[in-house]
């Protein structure tokens, strides 16, 4: 298989953050010589990470908290830019990585569906065609004219998943957010993920729930000490992860 046929290509990826403040490095530091020693208040969230993903693969990303799993998904989604290496994504990405991403607190549910769907690349005709499906799935029929900021976290998750799962993008990124929803809705979401995988979508799934990882994923990436410790079958990766953390 040629390079152009990979869905995702990650090569020598690295990204660093400051400990002392939110956000990335200062503008001044962005132009500093990269060979200079990293300041003491900076740390590498990920470094020297390389792997390829073929279309239709389902990847489970595991690791202890703070090792860089969510950061990796944000780099694949294009939300963050790397300090080292490259990320190449061949196809659109449907990111379910932050429940508030793209939604505006003072806009209503109805307005947010139209705005967020448009930002993800849906045409006005596609939004009109899929609007009822999104509302039906989110179970927010009685809240369509309610400002987004008045929704509970569970409602926000339902709305976000309903929008993202109606995108035609071939790559789905899911980062723990479904843990906020109730069990019935979570099973509904999982059923939709099953449908998307059956249709040939590529899945990146971060979760601490081993049963969920085993349900969806065949391959695993184990992030340890901010590096890719292991890339293999999900069963082998979970076995190593559990052995390291028992």
């Amino acid at each position: 298989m040629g390079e152009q046929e990979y869905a995702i290509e990650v090569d020598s990826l690295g990204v660093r953050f400051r400990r002392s403040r939110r956000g990335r490095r200062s503008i001044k530091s962005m132009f500093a010589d990269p060979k200079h020693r990293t300041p003491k208040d900076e740390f590498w969230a990920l470094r020297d990470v390389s792997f390829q993903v073929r279309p239709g693969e389902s990847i489970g990303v595991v690791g202890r908290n703070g090792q860089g799993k969510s950061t990796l998904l944000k780099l694949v989604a294009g939300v963050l830019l790397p300090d080292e290496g490259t990320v190449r994504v061949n196809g659109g990405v449907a990111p379910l990585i932050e429940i508030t991403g793209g939604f505006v607190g003072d806009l209503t549910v109805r307005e947010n569906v139209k705005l967020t769907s448009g930002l993800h690349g849906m045409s006005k005709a596609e939004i009109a065609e899929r609007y009822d499906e999104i509302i039906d799935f989110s179970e927010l029929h009685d809240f369509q004219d309610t400002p987004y900021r008045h929704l509970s976290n569970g409602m926000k998750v339902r709305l976000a998943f309903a929008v993202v799962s109606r995108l035609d993008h071939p790559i789905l990124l899911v980062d723990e957010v479904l843990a906020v929803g109730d069990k019935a809705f979570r099973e509904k979401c999982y059923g939709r993920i099953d449908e998307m995988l059956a249709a040939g979508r590529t899945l990146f799934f971060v979760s601490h729930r081993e049963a969920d990882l085993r349900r969806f994923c065949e391959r695993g990436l184990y992030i340890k000490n901010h590096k890719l410790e292991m890339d293999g079958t999900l069963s082998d990766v979970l076995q190593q992860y559990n052995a390291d953390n028992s």
Side-chain angles (χ1 to χ4, degrees), residues 90-214:
N90 299 315
V93 173
L96 192 62
I97 57 180
E98 290 183 348
I99 60 174
T100 57
F103 293 93
V104 180
D106 289 332
L107 296 184
T108 66
V109 167
R110 187 189 310 276
E111 292 166 334
N112 267 294
V113 168
K114 295 177 180 179
L115 172 65
T116 308
S117 299
L119 290 174
H120 281 300
M122 279 194 204
S123 67
K124 289 184 178 180
E126 288 173 329
I127 295 171
E129 179 184 343
R130 301 177 192 183
Y131 178 82
D132 288 342
E133 294 178 1
I134 291 170
I135 294 300
D136 287 344
F137 194 95
S138 67
E139 302 173 3
L140 294 177
H141 304 87
D142 296 334
F143 298 90
Q144 295 179 64
D145 297 309
T146 300
Y148 178 80
R149 58 188 168 85
H150 292 321
L151 301 182
S152 67
N153 281 344
M155 290 177 177
K156 290 176 181 178
V157 169
R158 285 169 16 211
L159 183 62
F161 189 90
V163 171
V164 169
S165 67
R166 288 302 178 273
L167 300 176
D168 292 328
H169 301 329
I171 301 170
L172 177 64
L173 308 179
V174 181
D175 183 12
E176 292 286 7
V177 294
L178 296 182
V180 179
D182 60 63
K183 182 178 180 180
F185 187 77
R186 188 161 58 242
E187 285 301 318
K188 185 176 178 179
C189 292
Y190 289 176
R192 176 60 181 154
I193 293 175
D194 284 333
E195 294 174 4
M196 296 172 78
L197 292 178
R201 304 287 182 91
T202 303
L203 174 67
F204 250 62
F205 190 72
V206 170
S207 178
H208 287 100
R209 295 167 59 95
E210 187 171 318
D212 293 344
L213 290 165
R214 291 188 182 278

Side-chain angles (χ1 to χ4, degrees), residues 52-64:
Q52 295 83 37
V53 178
R54 299 178 188 276
E57 280 196 287
S58 50
I59 312 293
V61 185
V62 303
R64 297 184 66 181

Side-chain angles (χ1 to χ4, degrees), residues 206-225:
V206 170
S207 178
H208 287 100
R209 295 167 59 95
E210 187 171 318
D212 293 344
L213 290 165
R214 291 188 182 278
R215 172 171 178 169
F216 296 117
C217 304
E218 299 173 352
R219 177 179 165 195
L221 301 179
Y222 175 17
I223 306 297
K224 179 181 179 182
N225 296 326

